[in-house]
Amino acid sequence: MRLGSGTFAACCVVVEVLGVVLFLRGFFPAPVRSSSSSKHQAEPPAPEPSAGASSNWTKLPPPLFSKVVIVLIDALRDDFVFGSKGVKFMPYTTYLVEKGASHSFVAEAKPPTVTMPRIKALMTGSVPGFIDVVMNLNSPALLEDNVITQAKAAGKRIISYGDETWVKLFPKHFVEYDGTTSFFVSDYTEVDENVTRHLDKVLKRGDWDVLILHYLGLDHIGHVSGPSSPLIGRKLSEMDGVLMKIHTALLSEERETLLPSLLVLCGDHGMSETGGHGASSTEEVSTPLLLVSSAFERKPGPHSRHLLFYHDLFAEETWLCVLWSLSALSADVFFVHPVNPVWPARGSRFRSCWLGDIRHPKHVQQTDLAATLAIGLGLPIPKNSVGHLLFPAIEGKPMREQLRFLHLNTVQLTKLLQENVPSYEKEPGFEQFKISERLHGNWIRLYLEENNSEVLFNLGTKVRRQYLDALKTLSLSLSRQVAQYDVYSMVVGTVVVLEVLTLLLLSIPQALSSKAELEVPLLSPVFSLLFYLTFLVLSAVHVIVCTSTESSCYLCSLSWLTAGGVMVLVSALLCAVVSALTKVLVRGKLLSKNAAHSNSRWSELDLLILLGTLGHVLSLGASSFIEEEHQTWYFLVSTLCLALCHDIYRNYLPGDDCEPQRCLHVEGGFDGATPALQDKNTSSAVLELNRGCKSPSSLGTLRGYEKWMVLASPWVILTCCRLLRSLNQTGVQWAHRPDLGHWLTRGILEARFVYVFVLGILFTGTKDLLKSQVVAAGFTVKTVGLWELYSGFVLLAALLLRPHNLPVLVLSLLIQTLMAKFVWKPLRHDVAEVTVMHYWFGQAFFYFQGNSNNIATVDISAGFVGLDTYVEIPAIFLTAFATYTGPVLWASHLVSFLSSEASSSSALSHAGFCYALIGSFPVSAYIILVTSLRYHLFIWSVFSPKLLYEGMHLLITAAVCVFFTAMDQTNTKS
Ligand SMILES: [Zn+2]
Ligand SMILES: [Zn+2]
């Protein structure tokens, strides 16, 4: 079977995408789940343990609170409440924290710190898989066991106002709701007024049990102007007013009911220093959690003593500071340090103590809220919850109830452990649970026998401590379970990806030959024998793996037909690799006999491209190189400009060795070249911009101004790159530096008007392309069509990019024009080099526009320009386009440029092949890197997001290659 090299490359990349998808499915582990979660019937609660004498307390304990109000402020960071901003802008909340009947915590969110997975974590208590971030734009109903479903089943009436994610997750759970969409990021007043306007009415009515308010304004302010914007303070004051209103209303109503009520203030995630969220920096994962209820003891008044143990985890040394004060603000402070009084060196830590900042709440997990809410509402704890009950919430209850609550939580966690860990009996948490349950039984016996109260109290405290330890251990080991990989799927995915890469590398000689065609020997009998053998072996392995393994495995859960398809793919690829290898070996033998073969020389540029590609791939093994990957690309692009400069001057200055570099490639041809095993993209591709090779002095024949433009253009491009660099500070280390982008603010765009134009241009472009294909109207029509598509993309990019990013677009166009007119054309670079340069610049522009390898920098708002409501498919398409504007624009420029400039008909084929190769090389290498680094500390925060980005890059590469092939087809037909 003969295939054009472009088509071949496109097929390869598409298969590689499948491999990467399989790898990702295995890499992002399935979360810890209870096996009984599918069954909906409620199980009876665990009875109170008892030794000998039987306890009659088998029912679930009654609720602790009559009403629960959850105020979720999106992107509320812990320091907005507990830090200086809280003191300044949230006086009422600060009063509640310091003096009120409340318990405050810093609840740590697990990455990805985006809204939907966080709401799920808060309500189910489970740790959602990382892949939930992909589902964030499309939140389907939550089927997992959760507090809301339990409350509904128990007949509680629930009301929700605010972010419509709640309504999507819980479509039939609310007796009343008003959802607001979170996609108009520039709106930060109306989204919140939409919530607050219901408050007066609803607080007066008594016909509800749970009220959920999700305020989005703060998050929107963060996205638009960052955490230090003056708008943040105003928003916090507004939220403080809301809290005061709710708290006073609850207090006045409590007088009529017997049970107290509970007010919960929390955030779903924090915000980074740039105002985004998604990753795992301290600012993004730390959220405040405040429980307010008259059931809790009031904090001591102003005339009492505070004792503060200040433990600085980051300094790796224990700081002990004793704050002795008559009041919080006019304090006499003494510092005592047990070992070494080094504190003056740590000025900031010292000041935070000295200023009387006594609000360093305990750190807990976000998942702990679900169990606490369930206990508070008298509901069973959600089955998949890995969190443990926040003990202070039940501290004021009698000992028997406390122990009962702790027992229920421990039983639930132990059950989850039994269902998810094969060797659960060896887990320390399980042993602790057994001990506490036995002690608890003894305590119940003593209690029922009405023993001496002091003995009872002492034993009770001991049991309680045992339970709390067990809870902590169980919760920790369950949370850790989430980091288990599905190695089988990962291996199969990696094998597919590597096979494709090897195939691409081995077929370089054929694919880049002047015919641009290659033979795929899938139908020959020898290979079909090999194919069947491999297929049989692989199927046997599959059966063995799937029957022996205990952990869940994606491939094994597939139907036999699908799994068989995967095996067919793997064996077919293997056969293709073997055949390509034999072909290369045979050819190598022939060549060594034929001594006359000329080894084509590598230019410096080729060498730079090769080393640059290898260096970039190697750099992906280090987390800080991933965080700062833009620096790598900026460096590569600048070096490329200098190399081009060198090239130009050498060609231009007379008296040099006049041997034109470019001509060598043409003469060398491919038939006589080395079977380029070294690397890919660079091996001397034949070619052919313009009309063959002119005389070396061609630069000298240029007109005066053009000559100067040629000489100057690399420097102009370098200057442009320097400017672009300071437009968006990205990465991690220097992201907080002020960038030019902050000076320009976002305006409102008359977007739909522009969409009409974009669609119009794209339509004419496509029409011309189709015409060139159908009517065989020829070359010019196709070129015109391609340039029309390109301008359509440019216009769409101009619409979607934030206004401050428009200079990126302008400079990108400028660089493309300069390169095309004054570098590629006069110097006649070959197709491979031009392709790689386009790819490099595309990558650099990905970062120039402010992207990074962090999920927080994806500009979701750009995808919703001109849309009234959330429409899924256009939204996803627009977001993806806005994020990948740089690579897409450069790729489409490449197609248009080659189609209008290259003389050879195989140019597009070659370019497609080179693009596939250079695009798939980093992904394949990164998959192996990430597998070897899967227990790295930063695997979830740095390497995993990068993996998702690499997957997206490959998808874009696949799309580009398919487009190349399509264009190539039209070319051959016309
Ligand atoms: Zn959020
Ligand atoms: Zn947000």
Side-chain angles (χ1 to χ4, degrees):
M1 184 164 66
R2 289 200 82 77
L3 277 179
S5 45
T7 321
F8 171 73
C11 294
C12 283
V13 183
V14 170
V15 172
E16 196 178 3
V17 168
L18 290 181
V20 168
V21 167
L22 191 59
F23 178 87
L24 288 178
R25 185 61 185 74
F27 187 80
F28 294 114
V32 169
R33 290 289 174 266
S34 163
S35 57
S36 57
S37 56
S38 50
K39 287 175 241 147
H40 279 290
Q41 81 268 27
E43 290 164 45
E48 197 174 33
S50 53
S54 68
S55 149
N56 51 0
W57 199 6
T58 51
K59 271 198 238 136
L60 214 56
L64 306 179
F65 308 107
S66 60
K67 276 189 163 56
V68 173
V69 180
I70 302 171
V71 182
L72 196 162
I73 302 175
D74 209 287
L76 188 65
R77 204 162 80 177
D78 62 338
D79 65 318
F80 289 171
V81 175
F82 303 131
S84 57
K85 275 208 178 79
V87 176
K88 196 167 164 197
F89 298 112
M90 302 188 85
Y92 189 75
T93 315
T94 305
Y95 164 77
L96 286 179
V97 169
E98 288 186 343
K99 314 266 157 52
S102 70
H103 295 297
S104 37
F105 309 92
V106 173
E108 282 173 25
K110 286 259 184 307
T113 43
V114 263
T115 305
M116 193 201 62
R118 296 323 350 129
I119 295 181
K120 282 188 181 173
L122 283 168
M123 290 300 121
T124 61
S126 66
V127 185
F130 193 91
I131 213 71
D132 271 334
V133 73
V134 184
M135 307 290 289
N136 188 34
L137 294 178
N138 169 34
S139 32
L142 183 60
L143 299 172
E144 223 178 293
D145 192 11
N146 62 76
V147 177
I148 302 289
T149 311
Q150 293 283 3
K152 170 116 196 304
K156 307 237 179 235
R157 284 147 304 170
I158 316 163
I159 295 180
S160 156
Y161 298 124
D163 189 354
E164 62 178 2
T165 312
W166 286 88
V167 186
K168 285 182 180 162
L169 284 173
F170 309 105
K172 286 179 187 153
H173 296 66
F174 303 124
V175 289
E176 193 180 312
Y177 60 84
D178 183 11
T180 49
T181 171
S182 65
F183 290 111
F184 300 103
V185 179
S186 49
D187 164 32
Y188 39 78
T189 45
E190 222 160 283
V191 270
D192 287 353
E193 268 160 28
N194 251 342
V195 180
T196 311
R197 71 193 166 99
H198 297 287
L199 268 187
D200 286 321
K201 190 180 64 194
V202 100
L203 287 174
K204 262 188 216 123
R205 291 167 14 196
D207 60 344
W208 50 269
D209 304 293
V210 181
L211 174 64
I212 298 164
L213 309 169
H214 188 141
Y215 282 96
L216 284 167
L218 187 71
D219 176 66
H220 290 185
I221 294 174
H223 282 295
V224 174
S225 46
S228 40
S229 155
L231 292 170
I232 295 271
R234 252 184 276 162
K235 184 53 81 180
L236 289 178
S237 306
E238 184 192 329
M239 293 296 111
D240 196 46
V242 168
L243 280 171
M244 181 156 90
K245 182 185 263 180
I246 298 170
H247 190 225
T248 43
L250 287 177
L251 284 181
S252 70
E253 195 180 316
E254 261 175 35
R255 285 181 208 120
E256 294 149 32
T257 53
L258 289 170
L259 274 178
S261 52
L262 173 70
L263 170 62
V264 180
L265 168 69
C266 59
D268 54 345
H269 47 75
M271 65 170 80
S272 68
E273 276 312 309
T274 51
H277 52 88
S280 60
S281 67
T282 321
E283 291 86 11
E284 284 159 277
V285 300
S286 308
T287 65
L289 174 60
L290 183 64
L291 308 178
V292 187
S293 171
S294 49
F296 307 147
E297 250 172 70
R298 288 184 77 79
K299 305 267 168 70
H303 295 287
S304 63
R305 293 160 182 180
H306 294 277
L307 188 65
L308 175 72
F309 293 90
Y310 186 77
H311 181 204
D312 185 350
L313 276 174
F314 298 99
E316 289 181 335
E317 53 197 308
T318 310
W319 290 79
L320 180 68
C321 73
V322 181
L323 179 67
W324 181 285
S325 66
L326 289 174
S327 74
L329 288 172
S330 62
D332 291 322
V333 184
F334 298 88
F335 279 91
V336 181
H337 195 277
V339 190
N340 179 11
V342 287
W343 50 263
R346 304 204 166 248
S348 56
R349 301 278 173 207
F350 167 55
R351 266 199 304 278
S352 75
C353 277
W354 187 74
L355 283 175
D357 186 4
I358 54 159
R359 290 159 303 144
H360 286 286
K362 204 180 150 212
H363 279 244
V364 296
Q365 292 298 314
Q366 210 175 29
T367 43
D368 295 342
L369 184 65
T372 314
L373 279 181
I375 294 289
L377 285 165
L379 305 168
I381 298 171
K383 288 178 190 124
N384 297 330
S385 163
V386 297
H388 60 80
L389 159 69
L390 297 171
F391 179 67
I394 56 161
E395 213 171 6
K397 296 274 135 192
M399 183 62 86
R400 187 176 180 191
E401 284 182 38
Q402 287 185 25
L403 294 183
R404 176 89 170 112
F405 293 136
L406 291 171
H407 177 242
L408 282 173
N409 196 182
T410 325
V411 168
Q412 176 258 332
L413 286 181
T414 312
K415 207 157 157 247
L416 203 57
L417 187 80
Q418 283 174 330
E419 282 163 344
N420 285 283
V421 183
S423 56
Y424 65 91
E425 274 162 328
K426 288 183 206 125
E427 290 278 328
F430 187 76
E431 283 164 31
Q432 282 170 334
F433 162 68
K434 286 286 163 208
I435 297 172
S436 354
E437 204 175 36
R438 210 177 48 240
L439 281 175
H440 190 182
N442 290 341
W443 187 87
I444 295 290
R445 204 186 56 222
L446 280 179
Y447 177 86
L448 294 177
E449 286 166 8
E450 285 168 44
N451 246 306
N452 177 327
S453 68
E454 200 180 324
V455 175
L456 204 61
F457 179 78
N458 287 342
L459 183 62
T461 335
K462 198 179 159 199
V463 181
R464 192 172 66 188
R465 201 169 46 239
Q466 275 288 344
Y467 266 132
L468 287 174
D469 285 348
L471 276 178
K472 210 192 229 163
T473 324
L474 283 169
S475 171
L476 200 70
S477 67
L478 278 169
S479 312
R480 217 184 287 129
Q481 283 293 310
V482 183
Q484 270 195 352
Y485 301 97
D486 172 3
V487 179
Y488 182 46
S489 308
M490 277 164 70
V491 167
V492 176
T494 313
V495 166
V496 170
V497 169
L498 287 186
E499 281 177 341
V500 169
L501 184 68
T502 324
L503 196 57
L504 280 175
L505 287 177
L506 287 175
S507 46
I508 290 174
Q510 270 193 304
L512 292 186
S513 68
S514 50
K515 268 186 280 171
E517 273 186 338
L518 34 83
E519 187 73 41
V520 186
L522 277 185
L523 302 174
S524 80
V526 181
F527 287 107
S528 57
L529 182 66
L530 178 64
F531 170 77
Y532 287 123
L533 280 178
T534 336
F535 178 67
L536 277 181
V537 171
L538 286 179
S539 307
V541 169
H542 180 73
V543 171
I544 292 171
V545 169
C546 288
T547 46
S548 66
T549 180
E550 282 153 344
S551 56
S552 66
C553 173
Y554 175 66
L555 264 185
C556 298
S557 66
L558 289 176
S559 74
W560 285 103
L561 205 65
T562 327
V566 175
M567 297 304 143
V568 167
L569 186 68
V570 173
S571 3
L573 281 174
L574 187 73
C575 293
V577 168
V578 169
S579 94
L581 193 65
T582 42
K583 215 172 270 173
V584 166
L585 287 179
V586 168
R587 189 184 288 253
K589 236 178 231 164
L590 280 179
L591 282 180
S592 53
K593 274 185 204 154
N594 177 10
H597 97 271
S598 64
N599 198 351
S600 62
R601 251 172 60 202
W602 286 48
S603 69
E604 285 94 338
L605 198 64
D606 293 337
L607 215 60
L608 168 70
I609 286 174
L610 175 64
L611 290 181
T613 308
L614 287 180
H616 164 245
V617 166
L618 286 181
S619 79
L620 296 181
S623 59
S624 34
F625 272 99
I626 290 179
E627 283 174 339
E628 308 290 326
E629 197 189 337
H630 54 287
Q631 308 280 18
T632 314
W633 284 112
Y634 297 166
F635 170 77
L636 285 180
V637 167
S638 310
T639 318
L640 182 70
C641 285
L642 288 178
L644 286 175
C645 208
H646 177 232
D647 240 21
I648 289 172
Y649 284 96
R650 200 182 38 196
N651 272 288
Y652 174 68
L653 292 177
D656 258 347
D657 58 312
C658 290
E659 212 46 45
Q661 297 270 319
R662 305 291 141 214
C663 292
L664 274 180
H665 292 308
V666 180
E667 285 154 13
F670 215 91
D671 299 309
T674 44
L677 277 170
Q678 300 94 327
D679 190 5
K680 6 167 282 213
N681 44 65
T682 52
S683 41
S684 38
V686 224
L687 284 291
E688 92 237 20
L689 288 182
N690 274 338
R691 300 137 286 271
C693 192
K694 278 198 219 155
S695 74
S697 58
S698 61
L699 265 177
T701 65
L702 288 175
R703 271 166 293 152
Y705 95 97
E706 278 189 343
K707 195 157 67 186
W708 289 112
M709 279 309 291
V710 170
L711 290 179
S713 49
W715 300 104
V716 177
I717 294 168
L718 271 179
T719 320
C720 290
C721 290
R722 185 61 196 87
L723 282 177
L724 285 171
R725 244 181 114 139
S726 45
L727 190 66
N728 283 303
Q729 300 284 358
T730 179
V732 172
Q733 302 243 21
W734 288 281
H736 58 277
R737 289 244 197 116
D739 45 32
L740 294 175
H742 279 176
W743 297 353
L744 301 153
T745 45
R746 222 177 143 85
I748 294 165
L749 299 163
E750 294 305 327
R752 295 187 178 179
F753 205 60
V754 186
Y755 278 137
V756 175
F757 276 96
V758 171
L759 287 178
I761 293 176
L762 290 181
F763 176 74
T764 13
T766 323
K767 198 188 72 194
D768 282 344
L769 285 178
L770 288 177
K771 205 161 91 189
S772 75
Q773 190 168 19
V774 177
V775 193
F779 189 63
T780 40
V781 180
K782 192 181 94 176
T783 309
V784 169
L786 281 174
W787 283 112
E788 276 167 348
L789 278 190
Y790 172 72
S791 7
F793 284 146
V794 171
L795 191 55
L796 185 60
L799 171 66
L800 294 183
L801 288 181
R802 291 182 177 217
H804 81 255
N805 263 338
L806 287 180
V808 178
L809 191 63
V810 173
L811 291 183
S812 151
L813 295 183
L814 180 68
I815 293 178
Q816 283 170 351
T817 317
L818 283 178
M819 281 291 222
K821 259 202 145 120
F822 301 112
V823 179
W824 293 321
K825 256 200 264 181
L827 286 179
R828 291 188 301 282
H829 288 104
D830 66 40
V831 168
E833 285 169 345
V834 171
T835 308
V836 174
M837 283 188 237
H838 271 93
Y839 180 82
W840 280 19
F841 269 103
Q843 292 296 311
F845 270 85
F846 178 77
Y847 296 101
F848 281 144
Q849 64 178 97
N851 287 317
S852 72
N853 285 324
N854 186 327
I855 290 180
T857 50
V858 175
D859 183 10
I860 302 176
S861 65
F864 296 83
V865 174
L867 293 181
D868 251 346
T869 47
Y870 172 55
V871 197
E872 191 175 332
I873 292 168
I876 290 175
F877 169 77
L878 291 176
T879 312
F881 182 84
T883 313
Y884 284 89
T885 303
V888 169
L889 279 188
W890 279 86
S892 67
H893 181 266
L894 176 64
V895 188
S896 318
F897 174 71
L898 284 181
S899 126
S900 58
E901 295 297 333
S903 56
S904 155
S905 59
S906 51
L908 278 178
S909 247
H910 288 153
F913 185 81
C914 294
Y915 204 90
L917 200 50
I918 195 157
S920 55
F921 186 51
V923 188
S924 327
Y926 190 66
I927 280 185
I928 298 179
L929 279 175
V930 109
T931 311
S932 61
L933 291 172
R934 64 188 183 282
Y935 297 115
H936 192 281
L937 182 62
F938 295 148
I939 189 70
W940 294 113
S941 52
V942 179
F943 292 105
S944 303
K946 172 68 182 161
L947 189 59
L948 289 183
Y949 272 105
E950 280 296 331
M952 266 311 279
H953 276 302
L954 187 69
L955 211 59
I956 299 279
T957 309
V960 170
C961 290
V962 169
F963 187 64
F964 265 115
T965 314
M967 287 305 102
D968 199 28
Q969 300 298 317
T970 62
N971 205 2
T972 40
K973 275 184 190 164
S974 58

